[in-house]
Amino acid sequence: MTMTTTNDIRERLSALRQEMRRESLGAFIFPSTDPHCGEYVPDHWKGREWISGFDGSAGTAVVTLDGAALWTDSRYFLAAEEQLEGTEFTLMRERMDGTPTIAEWIGRRLATSGGGRGIAGGSTEVAIDGMVCPAAEVFRLKKELKAQGGLTLRTNLDVLSRIWKDRPEVPLNPITIHPEKYAGESCASKMERIRAAMRAANTGAMLVSTLDDIAWALNLRGTDVHCNPVFAAYLFITDTDATLFTDPRKLTPDVTGYLRDNGIGVSGYADVKETVRRYDGYSIMMDGEQTPYTLYNSVRCREVIDRPSPIGAMKAVKNDVEIEGFRRAMARDGRAMVKWLRWLETAVPRGGETELSVSAKLRELRAEDPMFRDISFDTIAAYQEHGAIVHYEPTPASDKPLRPEGLLLVDSGAQYPDGTTDITRTIALGPVTEEQRRIYTLVLKGHIQLQMLRFPQGASGTQLDAVARRDLWAAGLNYMHGTGHGVGSYLNVHEGPHQIRQEYRPAPLTAGMTVTCEPGIYLAGRFGVRIENTLLTVPHMETEFGRFLRFETLTLCPIDTAPVIDSMLNDEERRWLNDYHLTVRQRLTPLLDAADAEWLRKATEAV
């Protein structure tokens, strides 16, 4: 989307409020999601960003006739402060003491605006577009709003279609076939497994709204979502057939034939609502957390089985072909990282480099690989105080020149047909302070401790999370984001259902799952440190107490040892770091020219 100014926001709010008065609305809610309830959405559905100017991946904007507020989590507190400055929007820090819920804030605004609830001529009606909000969230909002003096929620109004004059179109990019040599399993086999799970749940039909689930199930890929190789569609599966709902202009003759051969029918993207409404089987499975309310509410059959799609759990466990693909992709990505790190070492002292220029250079080096398809998310290149902004992305306005001193945090990744990468390194560009060295070493200790862990199969990520935080907690430090997330196989860089985080996530960790390890510490206005590898969960041993798992580190790239305070590492941590660097050197050296190989040898010397 184009650069947004405070004047743009002012004009958009004015246009919105005219529509609100016409519809007798007291408030309008803009979630971050789209009709597929995804984290990353095509520009067409970025309504929250358009109305507020805040471009983070998570947040909710709310507008009344005389106020506006935006809720987001700790990853975006600093970025949101900057982007909302000068607008009407008040930042609401989620999970912080004193922050009201969305319903509480709306209730207070409507109670104090005009006489009693005199706003909009006495309206107690709040609106949200039910096509871009998960059903479960709408149900929660309805209950919470009702508790605020009987406020009601309207879900059938797409006000953006009236006021967003230059709104981007729904993407029409072509869909492509993801070959079985990378997928490791045929579409027919996956559909058979999905139908078996449906029978076990006693349902004859299932609506799949989540784009990466659809892409995985059908072994298809697309480019409709920035950095994520998916396409806008719905998939309706019964015990006898299946239909893909998408714009037919996206289908090449090869894809059309492929779908026909696999027994997948095709219908228009907008036809899904009528198909769901007309389904007359006994029950239908939908995930209320992943299905838009409008579709969920259109069902007329006897029973909705509200539970997570079985596809997510299937997709999370990688098969042998996908695992080998990850290993190959990580090696090629590691080669690009080493070439970039060596270049960075000489480029920064020469001068003229900035956060944006080093990001561009890293993409350029990755793109030298003929299998490179795209980056897997917008690169975070954050120098010094920008490193304290957890999801900072440099822009021409914020682009900071790099100097041969201090810390540069770079979180990046790439999409290859045989794997998706996600890696963070914090790099000393020259002399660093003792405080930076201490924080860096504490983060490194947590990073290592989690990767050394052995744990029983079935443990959830929440049970593992404290291991990465132990030494940080002992020093009175903490971070508010998760420690790890799943990674797709040439799919979304953020993948569930498993996560490693403080908040309870019940999904068990099993062999074959990929997950990141990325502890960090962020000191506002000073600097930030994060170190991230992508891991594979593998079998460790089996005893009378059951099966135990461990992590194999997939990421291949040296960890900067220049900022490390060696005396703070124990013998076990030092041994892990040296063994990891030996593996990196052995795996990457054959892929490098002599100069890069020599740089890598020095970068991986034992500590």
Side-chain angles (χ1 to χ4, degrees), residues 38-60:
E39 177 183 2
Y40 302 104
V41 304
D43 287 347
H44 177 80
W45 287 294
K46 290 183 178 178
R48 187 225 59 215
E49 178 180 338
W50 183 81
I51 198 68
S52 69
F54 170 63
D55 64 3
S57 66
T60 302

Side-chain angles (χ1 to χ4, degrees), residues 196-211:
M198 290 167 55
R199 289 192 293 271
N202 295 314
T203 186
M206 179 173 67
L207 176 66
V208 187
S209 301
T210 311
L211 299 186

Side-chain angles (χ1 to χ4, degrees), residues 129-151:
D129 181 359
M131 199 61 197
V132 298
C133 191
E137 179 62 21
V138 170
F139 293 139
R140 284 191 288 266
L141 277 170
K142 284 186 173 183
K143 183 178 180 180
E144 293 169 4
L145 288 168
K146 185 177 181 180
Q148 299 297 317
L151 296 177

Side-chain angles (χ1 to χ4, degrees), residues 503-579:
E503 299 82 9
Y504 181 54
R505 294 294 187 272
L509 291 167
T510 62
M513 286 181 167
T514 51
V515 65
T516 62
C517 172
E518 48 183 308
I521 291 296
Y522 315 93
L523 303 178
R526 291 141 72 188
F527 65 92
V529 174
R530 185 164 65 251
I531 304 171
E532 176 189 17
N533 282 341
T534 299
L535 317 177
L536 174 70
T537 308
V538 298
H540 173 53
M541 66 168 62
E542 187 169 354
T543 73
E544 61 186 300
F545 297 99
R547 295 178 180 176
F548 288 78
L549 306 174
R550 63 179 176 84
F551 290 123
E552 173 191 332
T553 304
L554 292 173
T555 301
L556 296 170
C557 178
I559 296 169
D560 193 1
T561 57
V564 174
I565 300 176
D566 185 65
S567 62
M568 289 176 61
L569 298 180
N570 62 37
D571 290 343
E572 194 178 27
E573 291 163 346
R574 191 176 296 107
R575 188 180 309 114
W576 183 94
L577 182 59
N578 289 335
D579 287 347

Side-chain angles (χ1 to χ4, degrees), residues 342-353 402-405 429-430:
R342 177 180 168 234
W343 168 84
L344 188 73
E345 195 173 85
T346 56
V348 172
R350 286 198 302 266
E353 300 299 338
L402 306 185
R403 302 185 303 275
E405 62 183 20
L429 298 182

Side-chain angles (χ1 to χ4, degrees), residues 189-205:
S189 173
K190 290 178 178 181
M191 295 300 290
E192 184 177 335
R193 285 206 285 150
I194 292 166
R195 288 192 173 105
M198 290 167 55
R199 289 192 293 271
N202 295 314
T203 186

